[in-house]
């Protein structure tokens, strides 16, 4: 039996380190997926990508190679846009599902999108909305499909790299009146994302 483990990261570098450790743990490339906000153009320009025949969202290895090193999941990172999230970089099965729904919805309402992709992966409705909102606000989402026997170690990797679960972050969002992810809402601006990230950044010890 297998299960999907998902965490939100406020810092892309933490998510990248977690990906490398999960790959070292033996989680196959095809069982990992990453979606990172790109409103600041941190990962390149905003051109929209297609989903290729292998289910990866990618315009080639150049973007991924620059961000994640040689090989593995991060070598397949591509630029795209998903309704409600704004510009993002993404790779893997979860991104392909979400982007496929968005691309299929051009000219009409996209069915499923990021929330639907997360629910299909086994997340609850509430958690899917929280994780989607987390990416909208500047975060990076990392999902891993792992065998039950490997799940404790995989969770330890995600937690060690400061991954945040939906329950914890959702409680924070709801304190300010947030209720659910809205794919029709405007994407966060660079300034809004900068303020959001500063909220969770650990203070510098002098």
């Amino acid at each position: 039996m297998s299960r999907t483990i998902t965490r939100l990261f406020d810092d892309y570098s933490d998510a990248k380190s977690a990906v490398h450790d999960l790959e070292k743990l033996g989680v196959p490339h095809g069982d990992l997926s990453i979606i990172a906000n790109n409103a600041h153009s941190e990962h390149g320009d905003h051109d929209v990508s297609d989903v290729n025949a292998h289910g990866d969202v990618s315009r080639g290895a150049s973007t991924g190679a620059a961000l994640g090193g040689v090989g593995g999941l991060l070598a397949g990172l591509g630029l795209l846009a998903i309704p409600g999230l704004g510009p993002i970089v993404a790779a893997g099965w979860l991104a392909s599902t979400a982007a496929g729904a968005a691309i299929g919805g051009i000219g009409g309402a996209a069915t499923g999108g990021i929330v639907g992709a997360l629910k299909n992966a086994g997340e609850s409705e509430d958690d899917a909305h929280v994780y989607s909102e987390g990416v909208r606000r500047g975060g990076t989402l990392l999902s891993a499909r792992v065998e039950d026997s490997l799940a404790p170690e995989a969770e330890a990797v995600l937690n060690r790299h400061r991954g945040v679960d939906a329950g914890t972050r959702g409680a924070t969002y709801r304190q300010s009146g947030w209720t659910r992810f809205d794919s029709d809402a405007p994407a966060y601006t660079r300034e809004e994302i900068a303020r959001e990230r500063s909220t969770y950044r650990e203070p510098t010890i002098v």
Side-chain angles (χ1 to χ4, degrees), residues 104-192:
I106 292 176
T111 57
I114 182 64
V115 171
L118 283 163
K119 289 171 63 179
N120 288 339
E123 299 293 338
S124 69
E125 177 96 18
D126 286 346
D127 288 1
H129 278 274
V130 171
Y131 283 136
S132 301
E133 183 69 14
V135 177
R136 177 174 177 256
R137 297 188 184 201
T140 298
L141 195 66
L142 174 58
S143 288
R145 295 186 298 208
V146 300
E147 295 299 320
D148 285 343
S149 59
L150 198 61
E153 292 177 84
E155 286 190 327
V157 166
L158 297 177
N159 293 336
R160 182 168 68 247
H161 291 289
R162 299 192 294 183
V164 183
D165 63 60
T168 300
R169 187 52 52 86
T172 301
Y173 290 164
R174 292 184 180 96
Q175 287 176 357
S176 61
W178 177 87
T179 56
R180 61 192 287 114
F181 172 76
D182 181 2
S183 62
D184 294 324
Y188 263 42
T189 65
R190 296 183 181 194
E191 292 73 20
E192 288 173 325

Side-chain angles (χ1 to χ4, degrees), residues 32-134:
L32 294 170
S33 190
I34 190 168
I35 300 175
N37 190 288
N38 194 38
H40 283 79
S41 301
E42 297 163 304
H43 311 307
D45 62 31
H46 292 177
D47 290 344
V48 176
S49 168
D50 291 324
V51 181
N52 67 28
H54 301 290
D56 289 329
V57 183
S58 178
R59 298 190 52 148
S62 58
T63 300
L67 294 172
V70 179
L73 173 74
L74 299 179
L77 279 170
L79 297 157
L80 69 154
I82 292 178
L85 297 185
I88 63 172
V89 292
W93 55 274
L94 181 64
S96 298
T97 302
I103 292 168
I106 292 176
T111 57
I114 182 64
V115 171
L118 283 163
K119 289 171 63 179
N120 288 339
E123 299 293 338
S124 69
E125 177 96 18
D126 286 346
D127 288 1
H129 278 274
V130 171
Y131 283 136
S132 301
E133 183 69 14

